[in-house]
Amino acid sequence: MIIFKKQTDIRVYLKRLEAIGIGFVPTMGALHEGHLSLIRQAKKENDLVIVSIFINPTQFNNSEDYTKYPIKVESDIKMLTEAKVDILFMPSKEEIYPEEKDLNNDNFDFGTLEQVLEGKMRKNHFKGVAQIVSILLNTVEPHKLYLGQKDYQQYLIIKMLIQQLNKKVTIVLCPIVREAKGLAMSSRNVRLSPKAHLEANNIFKALTYLEEHKSEKLEEVSRKAKEIITQSNIADLEYFEVVDKNTLSPLLSIEKGNTLACIAVKIDGVRLIDNILL
Ligand code: PAF
């Protein structure tokens, strides 16, 4: 695996290669089985697989979340080498945002899509995501971009970004990878205490309850599903919404094949998100 830290170096390297299929997996590191599933999919479908690791400061609205974001460079590199990734792009903050003014992400606009759910709870989060993803896409110029369904709203935003930028890149949305008891894999899971980890399993229980009762009255089923989470005294539910999977606007009943149920909850101070397509 070749590691690049400078944009110009990776660009020059990629330019020298003849037309080959490039698959790209952007990450913020602290890699887990969820990332590996994206990498495996990318390996199957491309000649060359590039992974990036960059903890992007402009997408964190909470400075504590940023400073506490897990960093595991050594084990990440080991994992990527074992997964036979071809290139790792691992720039510094200064490489991506050399000047203070470069941190400004005001010129991205995704309308209502960035104002609901995660966008409502984390102001300017998606502008920051769009900012770094556009920089990375310009650097790597991939043919396929691999994203996980756990960050479903991020997928919709990046889809819109790609249209806005007029880029010819295909997004491959990969299913959520879960632990044995259903908790969605996340880099933040390492911050959960054993008790919090146990209670975090209720997130998937609630989503499964909704799935199993999807033909019943939504209001009632949602109330019961929410209770599965809020029964824990260390869980602070931010939202539990049932929305249209394309526009993210709230639905009054489940429309088969068109519905997304999504949750954000802080368990013992650790913010977790999850969703299910119904
Ligand atoms: O999903 C993530 O890890 C990040 O939001 C991404 C897409 C790598 C941008 O920083």
Side-chain angles (χ1 to χ4, degrees):
M1 183 172 73
I2 312 175
I3 302 179
F4 289 101
K5 297 195 168 177
K6 301 267 179 236
Q7 281 165 290
T8 41
D9 292 347
I10 187 170
R11 278 202 194 112
V12 167
Y13 180 87
L14 292 174
K15 225 184 174 124
R16 269 202 244 118
L17 301 176
E18 288 299 305
I20 54 160
I22 298 180
F24 178 45
V25 185
T27 82
M28 297 204 298
L31 304 175
H32 49 69
E33 201 43 48
H35 296 111
L36 284 182
S37 75
L38 303 184
I39 291 166
R40 277 187 215 115
Q41 188 68 27
K43 289 285 298 177
K44 271 190 225 152
E45 299 177 352
N46 301 275
D47 305 313
L48 188 93
V49 172
I50 304 179
V51 172
S52 65
I53 295 181
F54 180 66
I55 305 179
N56 175 38
T58 70
Q59 70 186 75
F60 288 85
N61 61 326
N62 175 332
S63 56
E64 193 183 317
D65 200 22
Y66 176 55
T67 49
K68 283 196 176 164
Y69 204 85
I71 300 175
K72 297 185 163 188
V73 180
E74 262 175 49
S75 60
D76 285 350
I77 291 179
K78 188 166 175 273
M79 250 167 130
L80 294 175
T81 310
E82 281 168 11
K84 299 198 164 44
V85 164
D86 301 289
I87 293 176
L88 166 61
F89 180 50
M90 205 172 49
S92 66
K93 186 178 159 215
E94 292 67 33
E95 169 69 11
I96 298 293
Y97 304 117
E99 292 178 45
E100 197 59 30
K101 67 169 172 48
D102 301 325
L103 294 162
N104 177 13
N105 56 25
D106 266 0
N107 48 346
F108 291 94
D109 185 0
F110 303 99
T112 51
L113 213 49
E114 65 169 317
Q115 286 154 18
V116 296
L117 307 171
E118 285 304 283
K120 194 167 163 190
M121 305 309 297
R122 306 177 69 191
K123 205 172 171 292
N124 284 345
H125 166 66
F126 288 119
K127 290 192 195 300
V129 169
Q131 180 182 26
I132 185 61
V133 171
S134 62
I135 293 171
L136 293 170
L137 289 180
N138 285 336
T139 305
V140 173
E141 295 288 356
H143 302 95
K144 290 188 175 177
L145 174 67
Y146 292 80
L147 300 171
Q149 190 198 310
K150 188 170 80 66
D151 296 297
Y152 187 85
Q153 190 173 6
Q154 167 169 282
Y155 151 71
L156 290 182
I157 294 277
I158 294 176
K159 198 162 120 182
M160 193 183 263
L161 172 75
I162 285 170
Q163 280 163 5
Q164 290 176 356
L165 298 175
N166 230 338
K167 290 245 175 240
K168 276 205 195 84
V169 45
T170 307
I171 300 184
V172 182
L173 184 68
C174 301
I176 299 176
V177 179
R178 299 184 178 281
E179 296 180 3
K181 290 202 170 140
L183 178 63
M185 297 270 184
S186 162
S187 305
R188 290 187 173 88
N189 290 359
V190 295
R191 287 173 51 203
L192 293 166
S193 67
K195 178 175 168 19
H197 204 136
L198 208 66
E199 309 238 329
N201 292 325
N202 289 340
I203 302 172
F204 186 58
K205 275 191 204 144
L207 289 172
T208 314
Y209 181 88
L210 201 72
E211 160 96 276
E212 284 166 355
H213 296 80
K214 63 183 171 205
S215 50
E216 295 168 31
K217 199 160 173 267
L218 181 58
E219 205 182 323
E220 186 62 11
V221 178
S222 284
R223 192 180 56 74
K224 286 195 181 147
K226 273 182 198 164
E227 275 172 17
I228 296 176
I229 296 177
T230 54
Q231 69 187 353
S232 157
N233 58 6
I234 55 165
D236 179 9
L237 186 62
E238 286 189 2
Y239 63 77
F240 188 149
E241 290 199 36
V242 177
V243 296
D244 178 295
K245 73 168 189 186
N246 297 309
T247 62
L248 302 185
S249 49
L251 292 174
L252 295 175
S253 60
I254 290 172
E255 294 169 12
K256 238 177 152 191
N258 191 38
T259 302
L260 176 83
C262 38
I263 294 182
V265 56
K266 267 194 188 138
I267 311 259
D268 210 9
V270 182
R271 193 170 187 281
L272 302 171
I273 59 170
D274 201 349
N275 67 68
I276 194 166
L277 284 161
L278 298 165

